[in-house]
Amino acid sequence: MMLTLLAPARDLETAKAAIQAGADAVYIGASAYGARQAAGNSTEDIAALVRYARLYGVQVLVTLNTLLRDNELPQAVQLAWQLYEAGVDALIIQDLQLLNQNMPPIRLHASTQCDNRTPEQVVRLQRMGFRRAVLARELSVDDIRAIREATLADNPDSPIELEAFVHGALCVCYSGRCYMSERLMNRSANRGECAQMCRMAYDLIDAQGNEIRDDSGRPVHQRYVLSLKDMDRSDYLEELIAAGVTTFKIEGRLKNSDYVTNVVAYYRQKLDSIIRQTPSLQRTAAHVFSYSFTPDPSRTFHRSQTDYFLHGRTSGMANWQSPKSTGQPIGTYLRTEGNRLVLRLLPGIVLHPGDGIGYGNEGFYINAVEGDRVLPNHPVRLQAGDKLTRNFDKAFTDSLHAERHVPVRIALTETTDGFRLRMETETTPTRYAVRDFAYPHQTADNAEMALDNQRRQLSKLGGTPYVCSDVSLPETAYFIPVSVLNDWRRQVVEEMMNRPVRDGNAPSSPNPDIPSSRHAELPSSLEEPLMTCRYCILYEMGHCRKTNPLRNEPRYLRLANGTRLSLRFDCSRCEMVIA
């Protein structure tokens, strides 16, 4: 079974960072119709990315995953053809109207925005010809296993691939069913314009308009009751594999290259460790990676972590205190001496000027450090015992560097009038380059020296994406000058790096076998509540109606501007509805 680590890319440079850190594939937004409007990229940049990715055997997926207006369909199809011609491997789509259009022969993946929560939905997508379904984040291991079993039963020979999110930010609403941003802010989440209503502060109020108090007696006033922690399923990758997941997706098309480098490297090492111990598992290439840092997701953007519903419903999924990056716990505040803060640091924590420190929903940067005493960049209000985190680690960020090299085998063989030099990658699929050179067969006076020289010169691949894993030579040792060997190697490397993006060596993009009866659906946001969530505020408070009901339940969310949103708890479905 082939496993794929899929990384986000805000732009071309971030995509390159993801590839160097270990991604098997990257997903990126095009110039329009992507679910992250602020992360669009020109077709020219995507074509450049495809050329770069091909050098490493990495696939490029493009998001066209918004709902489309009828007058936009021709432009969306035209863009799809441009992306196909640029060499893109697959399109991630939400709007099923595209299936009725003259789309290029390219793989189609069903976006998580299609609300892929049930076996019935994923089987339906499979029958439409989708090659992969991006699963809803709310699914448990058992839910995923049930989907895999259903798709296998429906199509044992070629079941749809299952892709699951394993890391990154979480939407509190079922993907594709959030209309709060559209109806309150005129910015549609299904059109790539989400206003991030779930990261805003709310009051929790009862039917009479009084603020609900938490178990400590404090009113729930302007707290981030919908702001989920970030997903982190790095400890459960083997469970996901056993359940049928083959693509592991990192969220973050708005994140910078520091975040992407760190998190991709972290999951690359996790997955490779599993693959080495499991003979039935494979990855696209046995690449050689070098990192100047030890990957640690808590040291770049990090809202603390939850495995979400992977093992059922739990409390502690949200952080009501802050929607911001919490980062790495570093210790507590003790007191202030002059203009310096005295801290009690956790073992192993070393602070540096430029570090960002957080407490609650506030923070500061460090201007100077003397052991456990720091000079903040502005006055702060702290109380003894306040817990501190580092949400920007300057030294760690400065250390982030990853390099990737593709192992290649080099073979020099005799031909009738000279020599043939072949270079091939150890990737799946294999890429190769071959050149024939006319040159006299002159036996070397010193066979051992000649062969050593040939191995040394042909394996010199510095400054290229490649690293030599093996050199094979003719049985007879021939004299070939160093300058000639270097020129031959240069020509073959140049040919390898300039192979067309859609040839026999490149990952293919087959035409989906879509049945003639295609059914397109466009949900009407006016018929839906603002949000339908599996996350439940009552459960988060420790007051599930089934086990520990709260006498005075919240009935509304109230924004700072006074706007009220009603809450409904559908316990038969274990869902919370905001209307």
Side-chain angles (χ1 to χ4, degrees), residues 332-336 341-345 372 383-386 388:
T332 56
Y333 166 75
L334 295 178
R335 61 186 180 278
T336 297
L341 310 179
V342 182
L343 314 180
R344 178 182 288 119
L345 298 177
D372 58 0
Q383 294 183 356
D386 280 353
L388 305 176

Side-chain angles (χ1 to χ4, degrees), residues 12-307:
L12 177 58
E13 292 309 310
T14 310
K16 289 180 177 180
I19 290 169
Q20 289 299 316
D24 297 310
V26 295
Y27 63 103
I28 190 170
S31 56
Y33 313 126
R36 297 289 185 273
Q37 192 179 71
N41 293 272
S42 69
T43 304
E44 291 75 17
D45 274 359
I46 291 174
L49 171 58
V50 170
R51 291 191 294 272
Y52 183 84
R54 287 292 180 271
L55 299 177
Y56 299 91
V58 170
Q59 294 194 335
V60 177
L61 320 181
V62 173
T63 57
L64 292 181
N65 58 339
T66 62
L67 295 179
L68 301 165
R69 299 188 176 98
D70 288 345
N71 64 354
E72 294 173 331
L73 281 168
Q75 290 85 2
V77 172
Q78 181 181 30
L79 179 57
W81 275 99
Q82 292 170 351
L83 294 167
Y84 169 74
E85 290 163 1
V88 164
D89 295 286
L91 301 178
I92 305 169
I93 70 168
Q94 175 187 10
D95 199 322
L96 302 185
Q97 291 187 103
L98 287 170
L99 300 182
N100 291 323
Q101 307 301 311
N102 180 31
M103 292 286 283
I106 193 169
R107 284 174 59 105
L108 295 180
H109 296 178
S111 170
T112 191
Q113 298 294 113
C114 292
D115 194 18
N116 303 328
R117 284 186 283 142
T118 65
E120 294 77 15
Q121 169 68 350
V122 180
V123 167
R124 176 170 170 262
L125 294 169
Q126 176 170 276
R127 291 176 179 175
M128 288 181 175
F130 282 97
R131 302 298 297 274
R132 183 184 297 173
V134 187
L135 299 175
R137 294 168 171 89
E138 291 82 2
L139 299 181
S140 69
V141 172
D142 290 340
D143 293 333
I144 295 170
R145 186 178 295 109
I147 289 173
R148 174 78 299 167
E149 291 171 355
T151 58
L152 280 169
D154 182 71
N155 187 349
D157 297 327
S158 183
I160 194 169
E161 299 167 7
L162 300 184
E163 177 179 309
F165 284 92
V166 292
H167 200 94
L170 286 163
C171 299
V172 73
C173 180
Y174 290 127
S175 291
R177 296 188 60 186
C178 180
Y179 306 103
M180 187 185 290
S181 177
E182 176 183 358
R183 303 235 290 265
L184 297 186
M185 308 288 286
N186 199 30
R187 291 173 53 181
S188 171
N190 286 309
R191 300 271 299 165
E193 303 166 337
C194 179
Q196 293 195 308
M197 303 296 293
C198 54
R199 303 298 178 188
M200 293 185 178
Y202 297 89
D203 304 329
L204 267 186
I205 57 179
D206 63 16
Q208 288 71 45
N210 303 311
E211 290 182 351
I212 298 289
R213 294 181 180 272
D214 60 24
D215 285 350
S216 69
R218 294 174 55 219
V220 181
H221 176 76
Q222 289 301 287
R223 287 198 237 170
Y224 302 91
V225 296
L226 300 180
S227 183
L228 298 180
K229 298 175 181 177
D230 285 354
M231 177 187 286
D232 183 341
R233 292 175 169 173
S234 57
D235 289 337
Y236 309 111
L237 300 179
E238 290 174 278
E239 289 184 54
L240 289 167
I241 293 167
V245 173
T246 55
T247 297
F248 303 86
K249 185 171 191 172
I250 297 167
E251 182 278 337
R253 281 196 296 120
L254 296 178
K255 298 292 197 305
N256 61 26
S257 58
D258 294 334
Y259 172 90
V260 169
T261 296
N262 182 30
V263 176
V264 170
Y266 180 73
Y267 279 86
R268 177 75 277 148
Q269 293 183 348
K270 288 271 187 178
L271 278 175
D272 283 352
S273 176
I274 294 169
I275 291 169
R276 283 193 295 270
Q277 299 171 44
T278 314
S280 62
L281 300 178
Q282 296 176 286
R283 57 167 306 208
T284 56
H287 289 185
V288 176
F289 297 98
S290 60
Y291 304 112
S292 61
F293 62 101
T294 301
D296 180 352
S298 73
R299 300 180 75 174
T300 44
F301 192 97
H302 182 68
R303 291 190 183 96
S304 190
Q305 69 275 346
T306 173
D307 69 357

Side-chain angles (χ1 to χ4, degrees), residues 525-545:
S525 68
L526 296 178
E527 299 172 0
E528 297 276 349
L530 297 179
M531 282 188 180
T532 303
C533 315
R534 194 171 182 189
Y535 165 80
C536 176
I537 285 175
L538 288 181
Y539 198 96
E540 189 73 8
M541 295 175 73
H543 290 283
C544 175
R545 286 175 175 174

